[in-house]
Amino acid sequence: MTRQADTLDLTPRTAMPSACASGGCGGAEPLLPPPPSFGDVRVNGVKIDPESIAQEIQHHPAPDMETAWTEAARALAVRELLLQEARRLDLVAEPEEDEAGRVEPEEDALIRGVLEQAVRPELPDEAECRRYYAANRQRLRTPDLFDAAHILIEPEGDDAAAWTAAERRAFEIAQTVGDDPTAFAVAARACSTCPSAQQDGSLGQVRRGELVSEVHEALERLAGGTITPRPVRSRFGWHVLRLHRRVPGQVLPFEVVQPKIAEMLEARSWTMASARYIAALATRGRVEGVRIDGAG
């Protein structure tokens, strides 16, 4: 699966006369290291290409190469199991087209087809949805909102002296305005280098994850109507922060979230049923070199 317009480059080329003398151009291409392998992987006698496993590794980040290789090999073994079963059932691929107009690869369509035919997830009823709602009420709530503003003082250079001077300026502003909202707004318009200066430094109502972590962590510690006693540093510069007010999130009514709960529970059921189906295929067949979870 395949997971720009050329421009004419008129940049002068730098001469490197020593390259040819050292064998740097022409001759045999340098040897590339072989793809990592921790043994052969076969599914019902069909060997999984080690190069394919090496390419699949990029989709399976892991703390070490052996774990990444194992996860990649398992994924390709499962894929081969499903493709073999689709062919055994004489399924015909019916590729679908996504919203961007991309057509599904034929093998992906076969895998989807065999799973749609074989896997029947249990649909959750209202009682099951209510049990999930009762156990996860704190997750089913609107996010906390932080009505905040800031004054950004950017350093005039990248060196330590410039950052120190910007910090000193931000600290002076914080000491001058204190918790006075009017004084803060005036200082924001006069001193802040952020476009929000035109709105008295207002950042609006923001949620967790919408600001850089240093700024949001500082807002979390503030009481409504106060500013940070010392400026906060981020990659953008020094911030004098003011929290106007915090708007706590509210637990959503069951009727509002029931469709999402049902969708999530159905997806969970489908995942578990698919895993059982794949394990059964592996048990009936012969998978060598990697273990399929749940297979006998």
Side-chain angles (χ1 to χ4, degrees), residues 189-208:
R189 286 185 173 271
C191 305
S192 181
T193 54
C194 177
S196 65
Q198 301 306 310
Q199 289 79 44
D200 299 339
S202 175
L203 295 169
Q205 291 188 341
V206 295
R207 299 182 293 183
R208 292 183 180 90

Side-chain angles (χ1 to χ4, degrees), residues 11-251:
T11 305
R13 297 290 187 259
T14 302
M16 299 180 65
S18 62
C20 291
S22 62
C25 59
E29 294 187 3
L31 295 176
L32 296 176
S37 179
F38 297 90
D40 289 343
V41 179
R42 288 184 169 83
V43 178
N44 297 321
V46 177
K47 183 178 179 179
I48 305 298
D49 181 18
E51 182 65 34
S52 297
I53 298 176
Q55 294 176 1
E56 179 70 17
I57 283 175
Q58 64 182 309
H59 305 300
H60 303 272
D64 57 82
M65 182 56 73
E66 183 173 359
T67 301
W69 182 92
T70 300
E71 295 299 323
R74 180 182 292 115
L76 293 183
V78 167
R79 182 179 180 85
E80 180 62 28
L81 267 174
L82 292 169
L83 286 172
Q84 289 182 14
E85 183 65 8
R87 294 171 186 134
R88 187 187 72 81
L89 296 172
D90 291 326
L91 295 185
V92 177
E94 298 180 2
E96 296 181 346
E97 187 174 304
D98 66 15
E99 294 178 354
R102 294 171 296 196
V103 178
E104 183 181 29
E106 185 170 308
E107 288 192 344
D108 289 3
L110 282 172
I111 290 172
R112 176 177 51 78
V114 72
L115 288 173
E116 287 177 350
Q117 177 174 302
V119 177
R120 293 290 183 269
E122 296 182 7
L123 301 180
D125 57 18
E126 181 177 335
E128 186 176 358
C129 291
R130 286 192 177 277
R131 285 195 296 271
Y132 181 89
Y133 178 79
N136 296 274
R137 288 173 59 88
Q138 291 308 308
R139 297 174 57 189
L140 303 170
R141 61 195 296 273
T142 58
D144 293 340
L145 297 177
F146 297 81
D147 187 358
H150 79 147
I151 300 170
L152 174 63
I153 304 300
E154 294 179 291
E156 295 182 356
D158 295 329
D159 58 350
W163 278 90
T164 299
E167 179 185 18
R168 185 181 305 113
R169 175 65 174 145
F171 182 74
E172 291 171 351
I173 292 171
Q175 293 297 302
T176 300
V177 303
D179 293 331
D180 184 339
T182 301
F184 187 96
V186 171
R189 286 185 173 271
C191 305
S192 181
T193 54
C194 177
S196 65
Q198 301 306 310
Q199 289 79 44
D200 299 339
S202 175
L203 295 169
Q205 291 188 341
V206 295
R207 299 182 293 183
R208 292 183 180 90
E210 292 183 340
L211 300 174
V212 292
S213 60
E214 302 92 339
V215 169
H216 198 92
E217 288 169 6
L219 287 176
E220 293 268 13
R221 296 191 293 268
L222 281 178
T226 66
I227 72 167
T228 46
R230 299 196 63 88
V232 176
R233 178 171 176 168
S234 78
R235 65 179 183 272
F236 301 108
W238 291 95
H239 306 257
V240 179
L241 299 170
R242 186 176 199 278
L243 179 63
H244 297 317
R245 66 190 182 109
R246 187 190 307 247
V247 184
Q250 301 293 320
V251 176

